[in-house]
Amino acid sequence: MDRLKTAILDGTILPGEALNDQDMQEWLQVSRTPIREALNDLSRSGLVEMAAQRYTRVVCADPRRHPATMQALGATLLAVASVSVPELTAPHRDKLVTLAADVAEATTGVEASATTSARARFSAALLESCPNAELVTAFAEALDGLNYRVHIARVADPSAPVEDAEAFYDFSRALLKLDDPAALMSLARAYNLRTSLSA
């Protein structure tokens, strides 16, 4: 069922598009049971909205929820980073330095897909470097849904807030200096999170 998830993430299936069981069965050449299981999984990860007897569709952009979505994305990344950053190997640290700079650069542009792609690569690398398998399992799908909802909000409204580019540059510089507390404070600042780290 990765094909369905990929089709949502790459824009083949658009935000708000109805996901009809019969159409999905024909397209994916599988029975209804795996389709329903996949849709339930995608609903849990925040990519699909379901209302019994009414609709099943790809999640739509909701400008009213965007600030909360950004905060949830930041809090999720910060939770993973707080465990990952102190344990980073040199190759993982170097990779995150580069990817954080990519996010910072992408957020200064107007191309929403560039920001989404950079953020997804950064999120994946952060999860890859996390030594806590339970945390990775808990947050992997959530990050897909949060990244996607931030993306579609930005596509719908290019003026929608994005990450603070300078804070991502600071994150990158702090990682280079092996200053893990400063890196975590910068990541919190990138998403305008008030934490005991940034007090």
Side-chain angles (χ1 to χ4, degrees):
M1 289 299 107
D2 286 340
R3 282 179 60 199
L4 183 53
K5 180 178 176 180
T6 300
I8 292 170
L9 293 175
D10 73 12
T12 301
I13 302 174
L14 299 173
E17 191 168 331
L19 300 171
N20 177 287
D21 288 2
Q22 217 170 353
D23 293 343
M24 296 289 115
Q25 285 176 264
E26 289 174 21
W27 175 52
L28 297 168
Q29 297 295 298
V30 295
S31 68
R32 185 173 188 265
T33 299
I35 296 291
R36 294 312 302 167
E37 289 170 355
L39 291 172
N40 285 326
D41 289 345
L42 292 171
S43 177
R44 279 190 295 279
S45 70
L47 293 170
V48 168
E49 300 172 316
M50 301 170 82
Q53 306 300 319
R54 291 182 46 220
Y55 60 81
T56 300
R57 65 184 179 208
V58 177
V59 69
C60 300
D62 183 348
R64 296 168 298 166
R65 290 182 57 189
H66 184 66
T69 302
M70 285 292 291
Q71 188 176 43
L73 176 60
T76 302
L77 289 173
L78 185 60
V80 175
S82 67
V83 174
S84 302
V85 168
E87 305 294 324
L88 287 174
T89 62
H92 277 127
R93 188 173 293 271
D94 292 345
K95 185 175 186 177
L96 284 173
V97 165
T98 299
L99 293 173
D102 289 350
V103 173
E105 187 174 320
T107 60
T108 61
V110 295
E111 183 64 38
S113 60
T115 306
T116 301
S117 179
R119 185 187 317 106
R121 288 191 307 274
F122 175 79
S123 299
L126 196 56
L127 281 172
E128 178 186 298
S129 68
C130 185
N132 184 322
E134 293 296 324
L135 199 58
V136 171
T137 299
F139 287 142
E141 285 189 2
L143 281 170
D144 284 340
L146 291 167
N147 276 320
Y148 180 74
R149 288 197 307 275
V150 167
H151 170 72
I152 62 175
R154 183 93 190 279
V155 168
D157 178 6
S159 68
V162 293
E163 294 86 350
D164 179 326
E166 192 56 40
F168 259 97
Y169 282 126
D170 290 346
F171 176 82
S172 183
R173 287 188 286 264
L175 282 181
L176 277 173
K177 294 178 187 173
L178 304 180
D179 187 347
D180 296 345
L184 294 174
M185 284 188 289
S186 297
L187 189 58
R189 208 173 67 250
Y191 289 92
N192 200 27
L193 297 174
R194 291 187 176 86
T195 70
S196 58
L197 291 171
S198 56

